[in-house]
């Protein structure tokens, strides 16, 4: 006979961490950062056909201080890179980034001096969304993955412990130069 059986009906037992994760994952506000053709697909995701309003994201924030999700849609030029970093730095913690499209993920077909070869050279990316351009359904799936990550994020001392563990894993990982890939 546990504690759950002695409580009256309607009483819910959980942790503060789980409640904070639930609130964080269900109140995500995206910042617009549409740079190229992928931004058209991002805008159509907010329209009535795909309806981001069912996830509480019907308004894309123009101010980074009100947003916690940056969707980098399209190719990032060298001139736009410092602006993107400044907008990312102005967003409050916790914040997440989706690299939408092959240009934002890896530079795409633009392998030249003017285009940054991946948004992860400027800001840490949580979810990479492939495609040229990716469909709105794919963006919704990526948003749901970010929401799942947001719900699992720890807080307080547990977060500090998690960061230490992730840094330890990163330090002991095999360097990219030592990996044997298809091109070697």
């Amino acid at each position: 006979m546990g504690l759950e059986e002695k409580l009256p009906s309607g009483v819910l037992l959980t942790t503060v961490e789980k409640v904070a994760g639930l609130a964080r994952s269900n109140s995500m506000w995206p910042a617009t950062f549409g740079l190229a053709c992928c931004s058209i697909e991002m805008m159509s995701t907010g329209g009535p056909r795909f309806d981001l309003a069912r996830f509480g994201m019907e308004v894309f924030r123009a101010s980074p201080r009100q947003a916690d999700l940056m969707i980098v849609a399209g190719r990032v030029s060298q001139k736009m890179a410092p602006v993107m970093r400044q907008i990312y730095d102005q967003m409050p913690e916790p914040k997440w980034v989706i690299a939408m499209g092959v240009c934002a993920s890896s530079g795409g077909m633009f392998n030249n001096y003017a285009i940054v070869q991946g948004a992860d050279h400027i800001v840490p990316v949580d979810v990479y969304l492939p495609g040229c351009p990716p469909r709105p359904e794919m963006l919704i799936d990526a948003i749901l993955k970010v929401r799942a990550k947001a719900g699992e994020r720890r807080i307080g001392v547990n977060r500090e412990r998690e960061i230490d563990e992730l840094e330890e894993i990163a330090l002991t990982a095999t360097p990219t130069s030592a990996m044997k890939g298809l091109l070697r």
Side-chain angles (χ1 to χ4, degrees), residues 40-102:
I40 302 297
E41 298 292 324
M42 181 179 67
M43 287 184 268
S44 69
T45 306
R49 183 170 182 183
F50 299 102
D51 193 24
L52 269 180
R54 59 190 157 152
F55 304 116
M57 300 176 159
E58 61 271 5
V59 180
F60 282 89
R61 302 291 159 191
S63 169
R65 290 175 183 88
Q66 298 174 349
D68 52 4
L69 171 66
M70 176 188 274
I71 303 172
V72 182
R75 58 190 178 268
V76 181
S77 66
Q78 295 288 351
K79 283 186 173 183
M80 191 54 96
V83 176
M84 182 173 141
R85 183 63 199 202
Q86 181 180 10
I87 289 174
Y88 178 80
D89 289 339
Q90 289 176 351
M91 291 170 61
E93 284 288 338
K95 50 191 167 188
W96 294 274
V97 178
I98 295 175
M100 181 179 178
V102 71

Side-chain angles (χ1 to χ4, degrees), residues 1-24:
M1 181 177 257
L3 177 66
E4 294 86 10
E5 296 169 3
K6 292 181 180 178
L7 291 173
S9 64
V11 174
L12 178 69
L13 295 177
T14 187
T15 63
V16 174
E17 200 168 69
K18 288 184 181 179
V19 171
L22 182 69
R24 194 180 301 125

Side-chain angles (χ1 to χ4, degrees), residues 78 81 84-85 104-107 115-125 128:
Q78 295 288 351
M84 182 173 141
R85 183 63 199 202
S105 298
S106 65
I115 303 298
V116 176
Q117 299 300 306
D120 55 352
H121 289 281
I122 304 156
V123 296
V125 175
Y128 294 93

